[in-house]
Amino acid sequence: MDVEEFRKRGYETIDRIFSSRVEPGYLKLLLPEKAPEEPEPWEAIQSDIETKIIPGITHWQSPNFFALYPANSSFPSILAGMYSDMFNVIGFNWSSSPACTELEPIVLDWMAKLIGLDPKFYSNGKGGGVIQASASEATLVTLLAARHRILEEYKEKGANEEELRSISTRLVAYGSDQTHSCLKKAAKITNTLDRALPTDHNFSLRGVTVKQAIEKDIANGLIPFYVVGTIGTTDSAAIDKLTEIANAIKGTKIWLHVDAAYAGAALVCPEFKYLLKGINRADSFDFNMHKWLLANFECSCLWINNRYHLINALSVSQDILKNPASDSGLVIDYKDWEIPPKGLREHIRKMVRLTRQFHNKLLRYPDLFVISTPPKFALVNFHIKPNNIFTKSSNELTEIICDRLNESGKVLLSLTKMRGQSIIRFSPGSPLTTEKHVDSAFELLLNVAEGVIAYSLKN
Amino acid sequence: MDVEEFRKRGYETIDRIFSSRVEPGYLKLLLPEKAPEEPEPWEAIQSDIETKIIPGITHWQSPNFFALYPANSSFPSILAGMYSDMFNVIGFNWSSSPACTELEPIVLDWMAKLIGLDPKFYSNGKGGGVIQASASEATLVTLLAARHRILEEYKEKGANEEELRSISTRLVAYGSDQTHSCLKKAAKITNTLDRALPTDHNFSLRGVTVKQAIEKDIANGLIPFYVVGTIGTTDSAAIDKLTEIANAIKGTKIWLHVDAAYAGAALVCPEFKYLLKGINRADSFDFNMHKWLLANFECSCLWINNRYHLINALSVSQDILKNPASDSGLVIDYKDWEIPPKGLREHIRKMVRLTRQFHNKLLRYPDLFVISTPPKFALVNFHIKPNNIFTKSSNELTEIICDRLNESGKVLLSLTKMRGQSIIRFSPGSPLTTEKHVDSAFELLLNVAEGVIAYSLKN
């Protein structure tokens, strides 16, 4: 492909903006068993994309996508992606790409100021920010940093390498029964223990629960070293009581990490800044630009108050990478951050407003819908009200209705289970979503629910 | 930014193709301390990119980039990146994006057939391929799979969770003193032991070395569980004796992983397929499309002969992700693979030829240059011949000359150290590199070397 053809095909690609109804295994039937030996014209590839790939795509960009959490692209993010792909720099140290390495801490400082993080997280002191691929990776690397910090103490007290490996197996990490599964995975990878502590009626982790768990583990000869508090849990956007947790571990050597993968984006708005009080007591904080702030996947922003432990937990070096300018151990990546704060705030507020709109509609039908967990950020959960005139349980009806909605191809919502109750999650996030889409989604829900229930009435 | 402006700016971006002479900290002086509060016009951002970012970029795409290893983009890869950014699908399970999830095993089967991997690595049996972000990640996840496999045996024999955690700290992973530092990092993360075994005069790891190390560790109560063999080490593209290593661990439960991050690309050519004999005895094999095969970062292809252990080593699940179609545990990503095998072969052969051209020129000056390690794939290493008429050592001269070459801004090469000897690595990889660039690079080397040496003559 020469420059002229690339230009032509690039224009064509720019001109396309798109909108899965396929069965598992559909693609294998459409593609050859081997890669074509001879080059194919771009038209053939373009046609493959349109006829074979696009029909199999779940359109996260659709204004009717209310499932899981938002993962929206934006035009500036796509342009930045084009630059990034053209430069294709590998930024593992300063000399491999100065601009890439220097831009990252600068924009992470910008973001830290924008969302109101404590200056201990700025890069001009001991702290700093770094982009990770996901909030799960952020949990893994902060757990490694926490392990490094506590093992260093044992090392200073004279523990040798073998003893340190053994001590490491008695380390305990804490989260709640609502914490993302990445904590379990991080503990599994690092061969440490993890606890999923019970939450209160709001699905929030409380300080007293953490305190009791720590005391019990210490009594059993184990070593608490890491707690993750969540702002905006996956199922219900619940908020852990960070100040309580920080008080519970005060004076200990336990690392507090805050996972705000989805909800952290809301901190660009002053009305959500009350959350900062707890966040700013943490050792590390992470949220995803690629969830609710229109950056392309993958752009998870992690800040730590002391980068020494993160760098030393991960650092190993090879001669070939040594060079005079190299002293940064933070993982570096190059992404677009060029959407201004004002636009970001408007985007967040719009989604909160649309969620409230959907919530208000649910409230109008109290005999039909139960708000499972109250609206938080841009998420509201609901289920079908149990009623003994129905032949089916609330769980069965809720599940059937969610399946029907998604099968319609008109909207996409998520189904999950909390404490035995099946619930439907409604989470708008596409910049294309308007009041009209929310109205239509609710109309569809009402029609489907009434239809399903009509078939489930006793006699 | 609306559709029309995106179209215009997209065209502009398509029309630009570019070619660091900055000091550490340059960017902080050029950018504001806070993100701009109000939106900026794209012209201003475009201008920032040109005047502030591009001057700080190390141009990995340049035809005069002979440093480290290639990391080249290509036009089809950029177009694919645009589609990928526009779709912005998150492919963590089938329902989140059927096309993405299904395309990956299909193209990895294509690649497995193209490079000649044993059918045990195809996805229609117990094996299969998966894209990782890097060869380092591949080493980590295969080490986790190996740990899962060996711990499962202890579990079957009745070990409880606490015993398994303790057994895990006695596990030993083996590589050579030339193995990429990711092995050390993986061992550090997982709290297992690692050994960097000595290599022979060709920098190759031998079977007998592995066998002796294993026996010694077993005698000391440790548990060997993982060996990584490298095809194309970072410093000298050395090739470990895989068949010997496979024989050394035959009948044991030790996992053999092959890291061919850079050199695996060469397997698209029949003349390199002799390497397959050893590779096909491994449990897992990884190479990077984003190094020498023109795919954008990040696209590391990993194949395993039994995906069960990989999936179970990493699997943790949450209710919200459960759905009827979901049973694939492989990590899924969406990338472009649309460059046909024929073009790939031509690209590999061209770089091998250009390396030989440079090597032949070095040979013409036996009093000046020593070939440190013979050319392998598209890498040749050399250093300045020690001579007692010089006031400086071979190491000093080699280092100064490499610095001068890179400071010229005309070429980029890497400096590394092998067994105390400073060496310069010459590794072409850009599709834009021609015989002319290699000639010019050698002329420059000769001028710089003669200049530096003229100042280092005694008297």
Side-chain angles (χ1 to χ4, degrees):
Chain A
M1 191 178 274
D2 62 16
V3 176
E4 277 315 303
E5 192 184 359
F6 172 68
R7 186 195 313 271
K8 183 166 164 240
R9 301 317 180 185
Y11 286 173
E12 285 174 14
T13 306
I14 290 288
D15 289 344
R16 288 171 188 285
I17 305 294
F18 307 106
S19 174
S20 173
R21 332 295 323 270
V22 296
E23 292 297 315
Y26 86 100
L27 194 56
K28 202 170 183 136
L29 306 172
L30 300 175
L31 295 181
E33 289 212 346
K34 286 184 179 183
E37 180 61 24
E38 297 289 326
E40 289 189 359
W42 183 254
E43 279 83 2
I45 295 164
Q46 177 74 49
S47 157
D48 275 353
I49 294 171
E50 287 174 26
T51 59
K52 296 168 187 172
I53 301 303
I54 291 174
I57 284 183
T58 299
H59 287 277
W60 289 67
Q61 311 307 311
S62 161
N64 293 312
F65 185 95
F66 303 111
L68 297 155
Y69 276 121
N72 288 104
S73 186
S74 59
F75 289 149
S77 188
I78 295 170
L79 289 180
M82 288 162 67
Y83 273 116
S84 178
D85 278 354
M86 273 190 272
F87 297 150
N88 205 37
V89 297
I90 312 293
F92 49 73
N93 63 18
W94 187 84
S95 72
S96 76
S97 188
C100 163
T101 309
E102 294 196 19
L103 187 60
E104 185 160 320
I106 292 172
V107 289
L108 283 164
D109 280 350
W110 286 3
M111 280 308 295
K113 289 169 190 172
L114 175 58
I115 64 179
L117 288 187
D118 189 279
K120 71 179 178 181
F121 292 114
Y122 298 177
S123 66
N124 58 1
K126 287 183 183 174
V130 56
I131 298 174
Q132 301 286 339
S134 65
S136 299
E137 246 180 61
T139 296
L140 175 61
V141 300
T142 54
L143 187 142
L144 288 167
R147 183 174 73 176
H148 181 269
R149 186 168 80 177
I150 199 150
L151 290 182
E152 207 169 57
E153 291 210 5
Y154 283 93
K155 210 170 170 178
E156 281 166 14
K157 289 181 196 157
N160 65 27
E161 287 299 318
E162 199 180 328
E163 286 161 347
L164 291 175
R165 279 204 309 283
S166 165
I167 288 165
S168 182
T169 65
R170 288 187 285 130
L171 297 176
V172 192
Y174 303 86
S176 83
D177 51 22
Q178 301 299 307
T179 299
H180 189 271
S181 57
C182 65
L183 176 64
K184 195 170 213 44
K185 191 180 274 196
K188 205 169 172 180
I189 288 171
T190 57
N191 194 24
T192 52
L193 291 158
D194 70 289
R195 307 259 181 261
L197 304 177
T199 45
D200 69 9
H201 64 288
N202 288 321
F203 297 95
S204 302
L205 180 60
R206 309 299 298 255
V208 64
T209 314
V210 173
K211 200 173 165 64
Q212 285 167 358
I214 289 171
E215 284 166 0
K216 193 179 158 198
D217 281 329
I218 291 175
N220 287 322
L222 300 173
I223 307 161
F225 82 117
Y226 182 83
V227 187
V228 54
T230 305
I231 302 280
T233 59
T234 309
D235 276 343
S236 68
I239 300 167
D240 288 341
K241 299 286 182 185
L242 291 182
T243 305
E244 285 184 16
I245 295 169
N247 287 338
I249 61 170
K250 205 177 166 180
T252 71
K253 301 289 179 180
I254 301 171
W255 184 293
L256 177 57
H257 175 62
V258 176
D259 177 356
Y262 157 71
L267 292 169
V268 300
C269 302
E271 60 268 36
F272 288 105
K273 292 220 196 280
Y274 71 92
L275 292 166
L276 285 166
K277 203 181 155 193
I279 289 170
N280 279 330
R281 296 202 41 197
D283 294 284
S284 52
F285 170 75
D286 183 84
F287 91 95
N288 294 343
M289 284 289 290
H290 63 237
K291 274 205 164 75
W292 199 7
L293 281 184
L294 308 174
N296 268 84
F297 195 64
E298 15 182 52
C299 187
S300 186
C301 302
L302 169 66
W303 288 270
I304 39 174
N305 62 8
N306 189 339
R307 58 182 184 262
Y308 167 81
H309 293 292
L310 183 62
I311 292 168
N312 282 282
L314 290 170
S315 176
V316 285
S317 69
Q318 285 191 293
D319 281 332
I320 193 170
L321 302 182
K322 284 185 184 149
N323 69 79
S326 202
D327 53 6
S328 156
L330 297 175
V331 182
I332 296 294
D333 203 345
Y334 176 40
K335 294 279 172 185
D336 177 36
W337 293 78
E338 300 296 343
I339 300 167
K342 194 176 165 184
L344 296 179
R345 270 182 218 121
E346 283 165 7
H347 173 65
I348 296 287
R349 286 173 180 154
K350 182 181 166 193
M351 295 307 145
V352 172
R353 194 175 69 237
L354 293 176
T355 305
R356 212 176 300 135
Q357 178 191 341
F358 193 84
H359 176 239
N360 288 339
K361 286 175 178 286
L362 288 169
L363 289 178
R364 277 189 231 151
Y365 299 83
D367 293 338
L368 190 52
F369 302 121
V370 179
I371 309 297
S372 325
T373 61
K376 288 206 186 65
F377 304 104
L379 171 68
V380 60
N381 288 341
F382 62 96
H383 60 270
I384 300 300
K385 190 168 183 178
N387 194 323
N388 57 19
I389 63 164
F390 300 154
T391 57
K392 290 187 162 63
S393 70
S394 161
N395 276 2
E396 286 170 317
L397 291 171
T398 303
E399 287 162 20
I400 294 166
I401 288 164
C402 189
D403 284 350
R404 293 278 161 83
L405 287 168
N406 290 342
E407 284 161 11
S408 77
K410 291 175 183 158
V411 293
L412 207 58
L413 298 99
S414 300
L415 186 73
T416 191
K417 217 163 199 170
M418 297 185 78
R419 296 190 184 153
Q421 175 66 54
S422 292
I423 58 163
I424 299 175
R425 293 170 74 267
F426 176 88
S427 175
S430 166
L432 302 173
T433 306
T434 63
E435 281 75 4
K436 230 184 92 188
H437 293 100
V438 175
D439 282 344
S440 306
F442 189 81
E443 280 308 304
L444 185 68
L445 165 66
L446 210 55
N447 285 339
V448 168
E450 285 170 350
V452 168
I453 282 168
Y455 275 94
S456 308
L457 291 174
K458 285 184 180 157
N459 297 329
Chain B
M1 192 178 272
D2 62 16
V3 175
E4 277 315 304
E5 191 184 358
F6 172 68
R7 187 195 312 271
K8 185 167 165 243
R9 302 315 181 183
Y11 286 174
E12 284 173 16
T13 306
I14 290 289
D15 287 345
R16 289 170 189 287
I17 304 293
F18 307 106
S19 163
S20 173
R21 330 297 322 271
V22 295
E23 292 297 315
Y26 87 100
L27 194 55
K28 202 173 182 133
L29 306 172
L30 300 174
L31 294 182
E33 288 212 349
K34 285 186 179 181
E37 178 62 23
E38 297 288 325
E40 288 189 359
W42 183 254
E43 278 83 1
I45 295 165
Q46 177 75 47
S47 159
D48 276 353
I49 294 172
E50 287 173 25
T51 60
K52 297 169 186 171
I53 301 303
I54 289 173
I57 284 183
T58 299
H59 287 277
W60 290 67
Q61 311 308 309
S62 160
N64 293 313
F65 184 96
F66 303 113
L68 296 157
Y69 276 121
N72 288 103
S73 186
S74 59
F75 290 149
S77 188
I78 295 171
L79 289 180
M82 289 163 67
Y83 273 115
S84 179
D85 279 353
M86 273 190 272
F87 297 151
N88 204 37
V89 295
I90 312 294
F92 50 72
N93 63 17
W94 189 85
S95 73
S96 76
S97 187
C100 162
T101 310
E102 294 196 20
L103 186 60
E104 186 161 320
I106 291 172
V107 289
L108 282 164
D109 280 352
W110 284 5
M111 280 307 296
K113 288 170 190 171
L114 175 57
I115 64 180
L117 289 187
D118 189 279
K120 72 178 176 182
F121 291 114
Y122 298 177
S123 66
N124 59 2
K126 287 183 184 174
V130 56
I131 298 174
Q132 301 285 338
S134 65
S136 299
E137 246 181 60
T139 296
L140 175 61
V141 300
T142 53
L143 187 143
L144 287 167
R147 182 174 73 176
H148 181 268
R149 187 169 79 177
I150 200 151
L151 290 182
E152 205 167 61
E153 289 207 11
Y154 283 93
K155 209 170 173 180
E156 279 166 16
K157 288 180 197 156
N160 65 27
E161 286 299 317
E162 200 179 328
E163 287 160 345
L164 291 175
R165 278 204 310 283
S166 166
I167 288 165
S168 181
T169 65
R170 288 188 286 131
L171 297 176
V172 192
Y174 303 87
S176 82
D177 51 23
Q178 301 300 307
T179 299
H180 189 272
S181 56
C182 65
L183 177 63
K184 196 170 213 44
K185 191 179 274 197
K188 206 170 171 180
I189 289 171
T190 56
N191 193 24
T192 52
L193 291 158
D194 70 290
R195 306 257 180 262
L197 304 177
T199 45
D200 68 9
H201 64 288
N202 288 320
F203 298 95
S204 302
L205 180 61
R206 307 299 298 252
V208 64
T209 314
V210 173
K211 199 173 167 63
Q212 285 167 357
I214 289 171
E215 284 166 0
K216 194 180 158 195
D217 281 329
I218 290 175
N220 287 322
L222 299 173
I223 308 161
F225 83 115
Y226 181 83
V227 187
V228 55
T230 305
I231 302 281
T233 59
T234 309
D235 276 344
S236 69
I239 300 168
D240 289 341
K241 298 285 184 188
L242 291 182
T243 304
E244 287 184 13
I245 296 169
N247 288 338
I249 61 171
K250 204 176 165 179
T252 71
K253 301 290 176 179
I254 300 171
W255 184 291
L256 177 57
H257 175 63
V258 176
D259 178 356
Y262 156 70
L267 292 169
V268 300
C269 302
E271 60 268 38
F272 288 104
K273 293 221 195 280
Y274 71 93
L275 293 165
L276 285 167
K277 204 182 153 192
I279 290 170
N280 280 329
R281 295 203 40 198
D283 294 285
S284 52
F285 171 76
D286 183 83
F287 91 97
N288 293 343
M289 286 288 291
H290 65 237
K291 274 206 166 74
W292 199 7
L293 280 184
L294 308 175
N296 268 85
F297 196 66
E298 7 179 65
C299 186
S300 186
C301 302
L302 168 66
W303 288 270
I304 39 173
N305 63 8
N306 189 339
R307 60 181 183 261
Y308 166 81
H309 294 291
L310 183 62
I311 292 169
N312 282 281
L314 290 170
S315 177
V316 283
S317 69
Q318 284 191 291
D319 281 333
I320 193 170
L321 302 182
K322 283 184 184 150
N323 68 78
S326 201
D327 53 6
S328 157
L330 295 176
V331 182
I332 296 293
D333 201 346
Y334 176 38
K335 294 278 174 189
D336 176 35
W337 293 78
E338 300 296 344
I339 300 166
K342 195 178 166 185
L344 296 179
R345 268 181 220 124
E346 283 164 7
H347 173 66
I348 295 286
R349 284 173 181 153
K350 181 180 168 197
M351 296 306 145
V352 172
R353 194 175 68 238
L354 294 176
T355 305
R356 213 178 297 135
Q357 179 190 341
F358 194 84
H359 176 238
N360 288 340
K361 285 173 178 287
L362 288 169
L363 289 177
R364 277 188 232 152
Y365 300 83
D367 294 337
L368 189 54
F369 302 120
V370 179
I371 309 296
S372 327
T373 61
K376 289 206 186 66
F377 304 104
L379 171 69
V380 61
N381 288 342
F382 63 97
H383 59 270
I384 301 300
K385 191 170 182 176
N387 195 323
N388 57 20
I389 62 164
F390 300 154
T391 58
K392 291 191 163 64
S393 70
S394 161
N395 275 3
E396 286 169 318
L397 291 171
T398 303
E399 287 162 20
I400 294 166
I401 289 165
C402 189
D403 283 350
R404 293 281 161 82
L405 286 168
N406 290 341
E407 283 161 13
S408 77
K410 290 176 183 158
V411 293
L412 206 58
L413 297 99
S414 300
L415 185 74
T416 191
K417 218 164 198 170
M418 297 186 76
R419 296 191 185 152
Q421 175 67 54
S422 291
I423 58 163
I424 299 175
R425 294 169 74 267
F426 177 88
S427 175
S430 166
L432 302 172
T433 306
T434 64
E435 281 74 6
K436 231 183 90 186
H437 294 99
V438 175
D439 283 345
S440 306
F442 189 81
E443 280 310 304
L444 184 69
L445 165 67
L446 211 53
N447 285 339
V448 168
E450 286 170 349
V452 167
I453 282 167
Y455 276 93
S456 309
L457 290 175
K458 285 183 180 156
N459 301 326

